[in-house]
Amino acid sequence: MSTDKLNVKLNRFAQIAQLGEIIFHAKDLANLWQIKSQNTLHTALSRYVKKGLLFRIYRGFYAIKPIENIDSYLLGIRSLHAYAYISTETILAKAGIISQVIDKITFISSKSTKFKIGNNWYISRKLADKFLFNPAGINEKNGIMFACYERAVADMLYFNPKFHFDGNKLINWNKVKKIQKQIGYFNF
């Protein structure tokens, strides 16, 4: 390998390291590396995957670690490639408010979709932007947005007003109503 090609490759991975991210869409890498040609980008990514420098999650989606070494929440959020937060069944099960075994990670985003990556199943419920971007009851942890359980209850009631909560007595209904009002769920 020529010195120029080695320098380009080292520079590209130095740029990735500076971002502090481990998951990328091909278009993000094209922008970062200022590659305009799809063929050049595809060739570079294919070579990096073959050499074990990048791991292909699926077409157009890559990581610097194997998927089994990536947080499943982060993997799902980055796959959506849009603002999203974890809510509804995932949060409610963790809080003991629903007792069913939840085998899918549930998101709220601007997309309605179901997908699988590795051994993880995901569901994303579409929420109108005027509600989605309201920060009431949303907390960030390690770069991932999570609904508090009261926000998750409010979200669930928005999507299914007749939803049954097993742990009904565990719910702070005053706080749920306050969050519903802050978000504007009563005004639709």
Side-chain angles (χ1 to χ4, degrees):
M1 180 182 294
S2 73
T3 305
D4 289 342
K5 286 184 180 181
L6 179 61
N7 286 338
V8 166
K9 185 166 77 172
L10 291 174
N11 185 41
R12 286 180 177 167
F13 284 90
Q15 288 173 319
I16 289 175
Q18 286 176 335
L19 293 177
E21 298 287 338
I22 60 170
I23 305 171
F24 305 92
H25 288 270
K27 288 182 181 181
D28 299 331
L29 293 173
N31 289 334
L32 179 66
W33 297 337
Q34 299 177 351
I35 297 174
K36 294 187 183 355
S37 166
Q38 288 292 329
N39 189 41
T40 302
L41 179 63
H42 176 72
T43 301
L45 292 172
S46 294
R47 286 181 182 157
Y48 297 154
V49 168
K50 283 180 186 171
K51 291 183 179 188
L53 299 170
L54 285 178
F55 297 88
R56 185 174 185 248
I57 299 169
Y58 59 75
R59 187 173 186 235
F61 195 40
Y62 298 87
I64 59 173
K65 294 180 179 181
I67 60 172
E68 56 273 3
N69 296 338
I70 300 172
D71 179 275
S72 56
Y73 295 149
L74 181 66
L75 195 57
I77 292 245
R78 292 295 194 274
S79 177
L80 289 169
H81 210 200
Y83 175 78
Y85 61 91
I86 297 165
S87 188
T88 58
E89 291 92 345
T90 299
I91 298 296
L92 298 173
K94 282 187 168 211
I97 294 171
I98 59 175
S99 58
Q100 305 95 302
V101 174
I102 305 302
D103 60 351
K104 295 173 182 73
I105 297 171
T106 54
F107 299 110
I108 305 296
S109 75
S110 59
K111 300 175 183 181
S112 178
T113 187
K114 295 178 183 180
F115 58 100
K116 182 181 181 188
I117 300 175
N119 295 325
N120 301 306
W121 284 96
Y122 301 93
I123 294 176
S124 177
R125 291 189 172 92
K126 183 177 181 174
L127 188 62
D129 287 352
K130 64 182 177 180
F131 304 135
L132 176 65
F133 292 103
N134 188 306
I138 304 293
N139 303 300
E140 183 266 330
K141 182 179 178 187
N142 298 325
I144 302 169
M145 306 304 277
F146 292 87
C148 66
Y149 87 83
E150 294 91 352
R151 171 72 185 244
V153 169
D155 289 340
M156 184 57 84
L157 290 172
Y158 174 80
F159 290 109
N160 182 358
K162 296 182 183 198
F163 188 83
H164 172 74
F165 299 98
D166 302 317
N168 196 20
K169 293 181 180 180
L170 298 173
I171 299 172
N172 180 339
W173 287 105
N174 289 330
K175 193 167 180 184
V176 170
K177 288 176 183 168
K178 182 179 176 185
I179 287 175
Q180 286 174 316
K181 189 173 182 180
Q182 284 178 300
I183 297 167
Y185 282 164
F186 288 138
N187 300 327
F188 62 92

